Amino acid sequence: MTQLTLYNTRTRTKEVFTPLDPTNVRAYLCGPTVYDRAHIGNARNVVIFDILIRLLRRLYPKVTYVRNITDIDDKINARAKERGLPIEAVTEGPIRFYHEDMGALYTLPPDIEPRATEHLGEIIDIIQRLIANGHAYVADGHVLFSVASDKDYGKFSGRTPDELIAGARVDVAPYKRDAGDFVLWKPSSPDLPGWSSPWGRGRPGWHIECSAMSWKHLGENFDIHGGGDDLIFPHHENEIAQSCCAFPGSHFANVWVHNRMLLVNGEKMSKSLGNFLVLHDVLKKAPGEAVRFMLMRSHYRSTLDFSDAGLREAKAELDRFYRALEKNQDVPVAAEVPDCVLEPLLDDLNTPGAIAGLHGLADAALAGDATAAGALKAAGQVLGLFNVSPDEWFRGDIPVEAQALAEQRVAARQRKDFAESDRLRDEIAKLGYLIEDGPRGAYTLRKS
RNA sequence: GGUCCGGUGGCAGAGUGGUGAUGUAGCGGACUGCAAAUCCGCGUAUGUGGGUUCGAUUCCCGCCCGGACCUCCA
């Protein structure tokens, strides 16, 4: 009865998910190109895929999650050259930061995190296969994929080769047979990083890196491939072309899961606009879990406008959940994810629907329903929420000043000096805490 | 220009051919010294014009508006 349906970009429909091998579900997510800090858009991508992986792990005994690191790239090269450093010195920091930032969002690390620099052998292997079976050609030191050789080219992204040529906005290199042909291998000048190959010293194109890494770790055919919808063309179209042509009879990924882009203040983030919201900066403004929650408050296939107001609402909702958990600390986690959360998730990862279920459980848990509290905790696990204790969420390390003011306020209230009591409450607020009074002088301090 | 997606209450955001989730904000009440939290209650929404239907927010067509991809990008 637990059937997962996913929207498959390849077929443009929602389909019941059927693994190739139910004992090992294999999934690949296009990871970061490591020359800079991750931005909030990267985070949406990873958080959504994280929920999918957590859900799959509830449904199947084993899931192999591969997320690559693109550490060969022209921007990395440019930076290395600029600084006179080897590329490892350029990528090392961004890789570490990436792990830190994604960890702060409580996303699970992938089972395998391959790097392009470790897969030159597979890259060259695939290119050789493509040349051998007539899908690639050498020209002017480059190796190019011939789109005309692949009758299926363009089907995935829903384009015809004619449209691609008509829409081409870049100058077409003279050595290309077709305007749509793309680079598999390109020569490196002596001042740029390069690897030796049958076609001379050079470096791989971007698309071939993912084909090589998914092949190595998941095989010619695997279950799920994820990414942002801006990668549908050309990146994923090209991955499919390369992999399917290199391995005749294979179909590459079965299901393609693409998340919509995220906007910041109504505008798309892009390298050309330069309006990136760096995740590390966002994490200074709100707890990682609030950022994570904000990213799951809208469906992954609809546009999400990231805003401070949304972040505040996300925090407020989590506060309520944590209050419900705080009231039920000794209740054990339920074994099963409750239907009110599981069913929306099984329906193409309807996270807003799952959140509605969470609110229902929280209401019941606040009213003293221990079963609901246990279910709430189980639901949190599949969504990657409630990673800290209520005490840490609300208080963390309370500064001694705030604690001292709170004690003074208790005394003031006891002698009914309410003017002083209110003044002390304001003082505490200035320290970033709010105080809630309980019966008989009891109080609770919370981060505001 | 080509291809594609969307327009739901103040805001955010689901679902559905038959009395429109959920959150947040707002309002009233209980509780509180006052608050906060909690509880109870209230209000307001399906861009527009047609069509199909007993009935459409949901299906179809036109229009208006917004967005994405076609170029590095998650």
PDB file of all heavy atoms in Angstrom, chain B residues 4-15:
ATOM      1  P     C B   4       5.306  23.134 -25.846  1.00  0.00           P
ATOM      2  OP1   C B   4       4.741  21.782 -26.002  1.00  0.00           O
ATOM      3  OP2   C B   4       4.564  24.315 -26.357  1.00  0.00           O
ATOM      4  O5'   C B   4       5.589  23.404 -24.299  1.00  0.00           O
ATOM      5  C5'   C B   4       6.211  22.406 -23.506  1.00  0.00           C
ATOM      6  C4'   C B   4       6.618  22.973 -22.176  1.00  0.00           C
ATOM      7  O4'   C B   4       7.403  24.188 -22.347  1.00  0.00           O
ATOM      8  C3'   C B   4       5.504  23.446 -21.247  1.00  0.00           C
ATOM      9  O3'   C B   4       4.842  22.365 -20.609  1.00  0.00           O
ATOM     10  C2'   C B   4       6.314  24.255 -20.237  1.00  0.00           C
ATOM     11  O2'   C B   4       7.037  23.427 -19.354  1.00  0.00           O
ATOM     12  C1'   C B   4       7.313  24.960 -21.159  1.00  0.00           C
ATOM     13  N1    C B   4       6.863  26.321 -21.494  1.00  0.00           N
ATOM     14  C2    C B   4       7.042  27.313 -20.519  1.00  0.00           C
ATOM     15  O2    C B   4       7.575  26.997 -19.445  1.00  0.00           O
ATOM     16  N3    C B   4       6.642  28.575 -20.765  1.00  0.00           N
ATOM     17  C4    C B   4       6.077  28.870 -21.933  1.00  0.00           C
ATOM     18  N4    C B   4       5.696  30.136 -22.132  1.00  0.00           N
ATOM     19  C5    C B   4       5.866  27.888 -22.948  1.00  0.00           C
ATOM     20  C6    C B   4       6.278  26.631 -22.681  1.00  0.00           C
ATOM     21  P     C B   5       3.364  22.645 -19.996  1.00  0.00           P
ATOM     22  OP1   C B   5       2.846  21.321 -19.601  1.00  0.00           O
ATOM     23  OP2   C B   5       2.595  23.508 -20.906  1.00  0.00           O
ATOM     24  O5'   C B   5       3.662  23.483 -18.684  1.00  0.00           O
ATOM     25  C5'   C B   5       4.387  22.902 -17.608  1.00  0.00           C
ATOM     26  C4'   C B   5       4.621  23.930 -16.531  1.00  0.00           C
ATOM     27  O4'   C B   5       5.370  25.054 -17.087  1.00  0.00           O
ATOM     28  C3'   C B   5       3.378  24.604 -15.975  1.00  0.00           C
ATOM     29  O3'   C B   5       2.707  23.804 -15.026  1.00  0.00           O
ATOM     30  C2'   C B   5       3.984  25.855 -15.337  1.00  0.00           C
ATOM     31  O2'   C B   5       4.637  25.554 -14.115  1.00  0.00           O
ATOM     32  C1'   C B   5       5.031  26.233 -16.379  1.00  0.00           C
ATOM     33  N1    C B   5       4.516  27.240 -17.327  1.00  0.00           N
ATOM     34  C2    C B   5       4.451  28.570 -16.896  1.00  0.00           C
ATOM     35  O2    C B   5       4.821  28.835 -15.745  1.00  0.00           O
ATOM     36  N3    C B   5       3.994  29.525 -17.749  1.00  0.00           N
ATOM     37  C4    C B   5       3.610  29.192 -18.977  1.00  0.00           C
ATOM     38  N4    C B   5       3.177  30.166 -19.771  1.00  0.00           N
ATOM     39  C5    C B   5       3.651  27.841 -19.448  1.00  0.00           C
ATOM     40  C6    C B   5       4.111  26.901 -18.588  1.00  0.00           C
ATOM     41  P     G B   6       1.113  24.035 -14.815  1.00  0.00           P
ATOM     42  OP1   G B   6       0.674  22.945 -13.933  1.00  0.00           O
ATOM     43  OP2   G B   6       0.455  24.254 -16.121  1.00  0.00           O
ATOM     44  O5'   G B   6       1.035  25.413 -14.019  1.00  0.00           O
ATOM     45  C5'   G B   6       1.557  25.506 -12.702  1.00  0.00           C
ATOM     46  C4'   G B   6       1.674  26.943 -12.297  1.00  0.00           C
ATOM     47  O4'   G B   6       2.340  27.693 -13.347  1.00  0.00           O
ATOM     48  C3'   G B   6       0.376  27.708 -12.117  1.00  0.00           C
ATOM     49  O3'   G B   6      -0.193  27.429 -10.844  1.00  0.00           O
ATOM     50  C2'   G B   6       0.851  29.150 -12.203  1.00  0.00           C
ATOM     51  O2'   G B   6       1.466  29.568 -11.008  1.00  0.00           O
ATOM     52  C1'   G B   6       1.914  29.044 -13.294  1.00  0.00           C
ATOM     53  N9    G B   6       1.424  29.453 -14.609  1.00  0.00           N
ATOM     54  C8    G B   6       1.230  28.666 -15.719  1.00  0.00           C
ATOM     55  N7    G B   6       0.807  29.341 -16.752  1.00  0.00           N
ATOM     56  C5    G B   6       0.719  30.654 -16.305  1.00  0.00           C
ATOM     57  C6    G B   6       0.327  31.837 -16.978  1.00  0.00           C
ATOM     58  O6    G B   6      -0.034  31.986 -18.142  1.00  0.00           O
ATOM     59  N1    G B   6       0.382  32.954 -16.130  1.00  0.00           N
ATOM     60  C2    G B   6       0.767  32.920 -14.825  1.00  0.00           C
ATOM     61  N2    G B   6       0.756  34.067 -14.167  1.00  0.00           N
ATOM     62  N3    G B   6       1.145  31.818 -14.182  1.00  0.00           N
ATOM     63  C4    G B   6       1.098  30.738 -14.981  1.00  0.00           C
ATOM     64  P     G B   7      -1.575  28.201 -10.411  1.00  0.00           P
ATOM     65  OP1   G B   7      -2.154  27.438  -9.316  1.00  0.00           O
ATOM     66  OP2   G B   7      -2.399  28.516 -11.610  1.00  0.00           O
ATOM     67  O5'   G B   7      -0.991  29.553  -9.835  1.00  0.00           O
ATOM     68  C5'   G B   7      -1.751  30.434  -8.989  1.00  0.00           C
ATOM     69  C4'   G B   7      -1.755  31.824  -9.570  1.00  0.00           C
ATOM     70  O4'   G B   7      -1.428  31.721 -10.964  1.00  0.00           O
ATOM     71  C3'   G B   7      -3.109  32.540  -9.513  1.00  0.00           C
ATOM     72  O3'   G B   7      -3.101  33.570  -8.530  1.00  0.00           O
ATOM     73  C2'   G B   7      -3.294  33.169 -10.867  1.00  0.00           C
ATOM     74  O2'   G B   7      -3.308  34.593 -10.786  1.00  0.00           O
ATOM     75  C1'   G B   7      -2.053  32.773 -11.642  1.00  0.00           C
ATOM     76  N9    G B   7      -2.277  32.374 -13.032  1.00  0.00           N
ATOM     77  C8    G B   7      -2.122  31.131 -13.591  1.00  0.00           C
ATOM     78  N7    G B   7      -2.333  31.109 -14.880  1.00  0.00           N
ATOM     79  C5    G B   7      -2.644  32.422 -15.183  1.00  0.00           C
ATOM     80  C6    G B   7      -2.958  33.022 -16.429  1.00  0.00           C
ATOM     81  O6    G B   7      -3.022  32.508 -17.532  1.00  0.00           O
ATOM     82  N1    G B   7      -3.209  34.380 -16.291  1.00  0.00           N
ATOM     83  C2    G B   7      -3.167  35.075 -15.105  1.00  0.00           C
ATOM     84  N2    G B   7      -3.441  36.370 -15.146  1.00  0.00           N
ATOM     85  N3    G B   7      -2.864  34.535 -13.938  1.00  0.00           N
ATOM     86  C4    G B   7      -2.618  33.219 -14.061  1.00  0.00           C
ATOM     87  P     U B   8      -2.545  33.359  -7.048  1.00  0.00           P
ATOM     88  OP1   U B   8      -2.392  34.717  -6.522  1.00  0.00           O
ATOM     89  OP2   U B   8      -1.420  32.421  -7.008  1.00  0.00           O
ATOM     90  O5'   U B   8      -3.773  32.685  -6.314  1.00  0.00           O
ATOM     91  C5'   U B   8      -5.109  33.075  -6.650  1.00  0.00           C
ATOM     92  C4'   U B   8      -6.052  32.332  -5.773  1.00  0.00           C
ATOM     93  O4'   U B   8      -5.855  30.907  -5.949  1.00  0.00           O
ATOM     94  C3'   U B   8      -5.840  32.547  -4.276  1.00  0.00           C
ATOM     95  O3'   U B   8      -6.496  33.727  -3.839  1.00  0.00           O
ATOM     96  C2'   U B   8      -6.472  31.293  -3.693  1.00  0.00           C
ATOM     97  O2'   U B   8      -7.881  31.397  -3.680  1.00  0.00           O
ATOM     98  C1'   U B   8      -6.064  30.235  -4.722  1.00  0.00           C
ATOM     99  N1    U B   8      -4.837  29.496  -4.378  1.00  0.00           N
ATOM    100  C2    U B   8      -4.973  28.459  -3.474  1.00  0.00           C
ATOM    101  O2    U B   8      -6.034  28.162  -2.961  1.00  0.00           O
ATOM    102  N3    U B   8      -3.805  27.786  -3.212  1.00  0.00           N
ATOM    103  C4    U B   8      -2.559  28.033  -3.731  1.00  0.00           C
ATOM    104  O4    U B   8      -1.616  27.341  -3.404  1.00  0.00           O
ATOM    105  C5    U B   8      -2.507  29.132  -4.654  1.00  0.00           C
ATOM    106  C6    U B   8      -3.632  29.813  -4.932  1.00  0.00           C
ATOM    107  P     G B   9      -5.706  34.927  -3.290  1.00  0.00           P
ATOM    108  OP1   G B   9      -5.868  36.082  -4.183  1.00  0.00           O
ATOM    109  OP2   G B   9      -4.360  34.450  -2.914  1.00  0.00           O
ATOM    110  O5'   G B   9      -6.519  35.168  -1.964  1.00  0.00           O
ATOM    111  C5'   G B   9      -6.603  36.409  -1.294  1.00  0.00           C
ATOM    112  C4'   G B   9      -7.404  36.182  -0.043  1.00  0.00           C
ATOM    113  O4'   G B   9      -7.500  34.765   0.174  1.00  0.00           O
ATOM    114  C3'   G B   9      -6.777  36.730   1.253  1.00  0.00           C
ATOM    115  O3'   G B   9      -7.330  37.988   1.574  1.00  0.00           O
ATOM    116  C2'   G B   9      -7.199  35.743   2.319  1.00  0.00           C
ATOM    117  O2'   G B   9      -8.290  36.241   3.088  1.00  0.00           O
ATOM    118  C1'   G B   9      -7.711  34.553   1.531  1.00  0.00           C
ATOM    119  N9    G B   9      -7.135  33.268   1.919  1.00  0.00           N
ATOM    120  C8    G B   9      -5.904  32.749   1.662  1.00  0.00           C
ATOM    121  N7    G B   9      -5.739  31.547   2.161  1.00  0.00           N
ATOM    122  C5    G B   9      -6.950  31.272   2.776  1.00  0.00           C
ATOM    123  C6    G B   9      -7.387  30.137   3.484  1.00  0.00           C
ATOM    124  O6    G B   9      -6.796  29.090   3.720  1.00  0.00           O
ATOM    125  N1    G B   9      -8.699  30.284   3.928  1.00  0.00           N
ATOM    126  C2    G B   9      -9.471  31.401   3.729  1.00  0.00           C
ATOM    127  N2    G B   9     -10.693  31.360   4.243  1.00  0.00           N
ATOM    128  N3    G B   9      -9.086  32.467   3.064  1.00  0.00           N
ATOM    129  C4    G B   9      -7.823  32.333   2.626  1.00  0.00           C
ATOM    130  P     G B  10      -7.010  39.229   0.639  1.00  0.00           P
ATOM    131  OP1   G B  10      -8.183  40.022   0.351  1.00  0.00           O
ATOM    132  OP2   G B  10      -6.121  38.804  -0.461  1.00  0.00           O
ATOM    133  O5'   G B  10      -6.144  40.024   1.705  1.00  0.00           O
ATOM    134  C5'   G B  10      -5.511  41.244   1.334  1.00  0.00           C
ATOM    135  C4'   G B  10      -4.179  41.352   2.002  1.00  0.00           C
ATOM    136  O4'   G B  10      -4.350  41.168   3.429  1.00  0.00           O
ATOM    137  C3'   G B  10      -3.199  40.244   1.621  1.00  0.00           C
ATOM    138  O3'   G B  10      -2.533  40.557   0.405  1.00  0.00           O
ATOM    139  C2'   G B  10      -2.247  40.248   2.801  1.00  0.00           C
ATOM    140  O2'   G B  10      -1.329  41.305   2.729  1.00  0.00           O
ATOM    141  C1'   G B  10      -3.214  40.490   3.955  1.00  0.00           C
ATOM    142  N9    G B  10      -3.664  39.235   4.576  1.00  0.00           N
ATOM    143  C8    G B  10      -4.909  38.671   4.553  1.00  0.00           C
ATOM    144  N7    G B  10      -4.967  37.544   5.212  1.00  0.00           N
ATOM    145  C5    G B  10      -3.684  37.348   5.689  1.00  0.00           C
ATOM    146  C6    G B  10      -3.137  36.295   6.478  1.00  0.00           C
ATOM    147  O6    G B  10      -3.683  35.288   6.906  1.00  0.00           O
ATOM    148  N1    G B  10      -1.782  36.511   6.722  1.00  0.00           N
ATOM    149  C2    G B  10      -1.067  37.585   6.288  1.00  0.00           C
ATOM    150  N2    G B  10       0.222  37.601   6.631  1.00  0.00           N
ATOM    151  N3    G B  10      -1.559  38.581   5.555  1.00  0.00           N
ATOM    152  C4    G B  10      -2.865  38.395   5.302  1.00  0.00           C
ATOM    153  P     C B  11      -2.034  39.419  -0.571  1.00  0.00           P
ATOM    154  OP1   C B  11      -1.464  40.070  -1.754  1.00  0.00           O
ATOM    155  OP2   C B  11      -3.097  38.403  -0.709  1.00  0.00           O
ATOM    156  O5'   C B  11      -0.850  38.769   0.267  1.00  0.00           O
ATOM    157  C5'   C B  11       0.382  39.452   0.432  1.00  0.00           C
ATOM    158  C4'   C B  11       1.282  38.650   1.340  1.00  0.00           C
ATOM    159  O4'   C B  11       0.627  38.440   2.611  1.00  0.00           O
ATOM    160  C3'   C B  11       1.596  37.236   0.867  1.00  0.00           C
ATOM    161  O3'   C B  11       2.645  37.211  -0.077  1.00  0.00           O
ATOM    162  C2'   C B  11       1.986  36.558   2.164  1.00  0.00           C
ATOM    163  O2'   C B  11       3.284  36.903   2.564  1.00  0.00           O
ATOM    164  C1'   C B  11       0.984  37.172   3.135  1.00  0.00           C
ATOM    165  N1    C B  11      -0.229  36.349   3.289  1.00  0.00           N
ATOM    166  C2    C B  11      -0.141  35.175   4.044  1.00  0.00           C
ATOM    167  O2    C B  11       0.946  34.872   4.544  1.00  0.00           O
ATOM    168  N3    C B  11      -1.245  34.406   4.206  1.00  0.00           N
ATOM    169  C4    C B  11      -2.397  34.775   3.646  1.00  0.00           C
ATOM    170  N4    C B  11      -3.457  33.984   3.828  1.00  0.00           N
ATOM    171  C5    C B  11      -2.506  35.955   2.856  1.00  0.00           C
ATOM    172  C6    C B  11      -1.408  36.713   2.709  1.00  0.00           C
ATOM    173  P     A B  12       2.750  36.005  -1.115  1.00  0.00           P
ATOM    174  OP1   A B  12       3.958  36.249  -1.904  1.00  0.00           O
ATOM    175  OP2   A B  12       1.435  35.826  -1.775  1.00  0.00           O
ATOM    176  O5'   A B  12       2.989  34.738  -0.173  1.00  0.00           O
ATOM    177  C5'   A B  12       4.262  34.513   0.418  1.00  0.00           C
ATOM    178  C4'   A B  12       4.255  33.226   1.209  1.00  0.00           C
ATOM    179  O4'   A B  12       3.222  33.283   2.221  1.00  0.00           O
ATOM    180  C3'   A B  12       3.906  31.960   0.444  1.00  0.00           C
ATOM    181  O3'   A B  12       4.994  31.473  -0.316  1.00  0.00           O
ATOM    182  C2'   A B  12       3.570  31.017   1.594  1.00  0.00           C
ATOM    183  O2'   A B  12       4.740  30.570   2.235  1.00  0.00           O
ATOM    184  C1'   A B  12       2.819  31.958   2.530  1.00  0.00           C
ATOM    185  N9    A B  12       1.366  31.843   2.369  1.00  0.00           N
ATOM    186  C8    A B  12       0.496  32.688   1.745  1.00  0.00           C
ATOM    187  N7    A B  12      -0.754  32.279   1.791  1.00  0.00           N
ATOM    188  C5    A B  12      -0.691  31.076   2.476  1.00  0.00           C
ATOM    189  C6    A B  12      -1.673  30.136   2.858  1.00  0.00           C
ATOM    190  N6    A B  12      -2.967  30.265   2.582  1.00  0.00           N
ATOM    191  N1    A B  12      -1.267  29.045   3.529  1.00  0.00           N
ATOM    192  C2    A B  12       0.038  28.900   3.801  1.00  0.00           C
ATOM    193  N3    A B  12       1.053  29.717   3.510  1.00  0.00           N
ATOM    194  C4    A B  12       0.621  30.794   2.834  1.00  0.00           C
ATOM    195  P     G B  13       4.684  30.620  -1.653  1.00  0.00           P
ATOM    196  OP1   G B  13       5.977  30.075  -2.130  1.00  0.00           O
ATOM    197  OP2   G B  13       3.834  31.440  -2.553  1.00  0.00           O
ATOM    198  O5'   G B  13       3.792  29.406  -1.128  1.00  0.00           O
ATOM    199  C5'   G B  13       4.349  28.387  -0.319  1.00  0.00           C
ATOM    200  C4'   G B  13       3.278  27.400   0.044  1.00  0.00           C
ATOM    201  O4'   G B  13       2.242  28.060   0.804  1.00  0.00           O
ATOM    202  C3'   G B  13       2.546  26.797  -1.137  1.00  0.00           C
ATOM    203  O3'   G B  13       3.287  25.711  -1.654  1.00  0.00           O
ATOM    204  C2'   G B  13       1.223  26.373  -0.515  1.00  0.00           C
ATOM    205  O2'   G B  13       1.367  25.192   0.227  1.00  0.00           O
ATOM    206  C1'   G B  13       0.969  27.534   0.451  1.00  0.00           C
ATOM    207  N9    G B  13       0.183  28.608  -0.142  1.00  0.00           N
ATOM    208  C8    G B  13       0.649  29.731  -0.775  1.00  0.00           C
ATOM    209  N7    G B  13      -0.306  30.532  -1.182  1.00  0.00           N
ATOM    210  C5    G B  13      -1.470  29.901  -0.782  1.00  0.00           C
ATOM    211  C6    G B  13      -2.824  30.295  -0.942  1.00  0.00           C
ATOM    212  O6    G B  13      -3.277  31.316  -1.472  1.00  0.00           O
ATOM    213  N1    G B  13      -3.701  29.361  -0.402  1.00  0.00           N
ATOM    214  C2    G B  13      -3.319  28.190   0.217  1.00  0.00           C
ATOM    215  N2    G B  13      -4.307  27.423   0.670  1.00  0.00           N
ATOM    216  N3    G B  13      -2.055  27.813   0.377  1.00  0.00           N
ATOM    217  C4    G B  13      -1.195  28.707  -0.144  1.00  0.00           C
ATOM    218  P     A B  14       2.742  24.909  -2.920  1.00  0.00           P
ATOM    219  OP1   A B  14       3.904  24.223  -3.489  1.00  0.00           O
ATOM    220  OP2   A B  14       1.904  25.792  -3.769  1.00  0.00           O
ATOM    221  O5'   A B  14       1.824  23.828  -2.211  1.00  0.00           O
ATOM    222  C5'   A B  14       0.837  23.155  -2.944  1.00  0.00           C
ATOM    223  C4'   A B  14       0.159  22.186  -2.027  1.00  0.00           C
ATOM    224  O4'   A B  14      -0.488  22.921  -0.950  1.00  0.00           O
ATOM    225  C3'   A B  14      -0.957  21.413  -2.694  1.00  0.00           C
ATOM    226  O3'   A B  14      -0.428  20.256  -3.315  1.00  0.00           O
ATOM    227  C2'   A B  14      -1.862  21.080  -1.516  1.00  0.00           C
ATOM    228  O2'   A B  14      -1.349  20.004  -0.764  1.00  0.00           O
ATOM    229  C1'   A B  14      -1.754  22.359  -0.686  1.00  0.00           C
ATOM    230  N9    A B  14      -2.770  23.347  -1.015  1.00  0.00           N
ATOM    231  C8    A B  14      -2.598  24.565  -1.620  1.00  0.00           C
ATOM    232  N7    A B  14      -3.697  25.261  -1.769  1.00  0.00           N
ATOM    233  C5    A B  14      -4.666  24.440  -1.226  1.00  0.00           C
ATOM    234  C6    A B  14      -6.059  24.594  -1.073  1.00  0.00           C
ATOM    235  N6    A B  14      -6.720  25.676  -1.463  1.00  0.00           N
ATOM    236  N1    A B  14      -6.740  23.580  -0.492  1.00  0.00           N
ATOM    237  C2    A B  14      -6.071  22.489  -0.104  1.00  0.00           C
ATOM    238  N3    A B  14      -4.766  22.225  -0.184  1.00  0.00           N
ATOM    239  C4    A B  14      -4.114  23.258  -0.762  1.00  0.00           C
ATOM    240  P     G B  15      -0.970  19.837  -4.743  1.00  0.00           P
ATOM    241  OP1   G B  15      -0.103  18.739  -5.218  1.00  0.00           O
ATOM    242  OP2   G B  15      -1.155  21.044  -5.578  1.00  0.00           O
ATOM    243  O5'   G B  15      -2.405  19.243  -4.397  1.00  0.00           O
ATOM    244  C5'   G B  15      -2.539  18.198  -3.438  1.00  0.00           C
ATOM    245  C4'   G B  15      -3.984  18.095  -3.031  1.00  0.00           C
ATOM    246  O4'   G B  15      -4.363  19.306  -2.332  1.00  0.00           O
ATOM    247  C3'   G B  15      -4.977  18.027  -4.199  1.00  0.00           C
ATOM    248  O3'   G B  15      -5.099  16.699  -4.665  1.00  0.00           O
ATOM    249  C2'   G B  15      -6.251  18.534  -3.543  1.00  0.00           C
ATOM    250  O2'   G B  15      -6.856  17.561  -2.724  1.00  0.00           O
ATOM    251  C1'   G B  15      -5.694  19.654  -2.654  1.00  0.00           C
ATOM    252  N9    G B  15      -5.692  20.956  -3.321  1.00  0.00           N
ATOM    253  C8    G B  15      -4.653  21.562  -3.975  1.00  0.00           C
ATOM    254  N7    G B  15      -4.954  22.741  -4.463  1.00  0.00           N
ATOM    255  C5    G B  15      -6.293  22.915  -4.115  1.00  0.00           C
ATOM    256  C6    G B  15      -7.181  23.997  -4.363  1.00  0.00           C
ATOM    257  O6    G B  15      -6.947  25.049  -4.955  1.00  0.00           O
ATOM    258  N1    G B  15      -8.439  23.758  -3.843  1.00  0.00           N
ATOM    259  C2    G B  15      -8.809  22.628  -3.168  1.00  0.00           C
ATOM    260  N2    G B  15     -10.063  22.590  -2.753  1.00  0.00           N
ATOM    261  N3    G B  15      -7.995  21.615  -2.913  1.00  0.00           N
ATOM    262  C4    G B  15      -6.766  21.820  -3.416  1.00  0.00           C
TER     263        G B  15
END
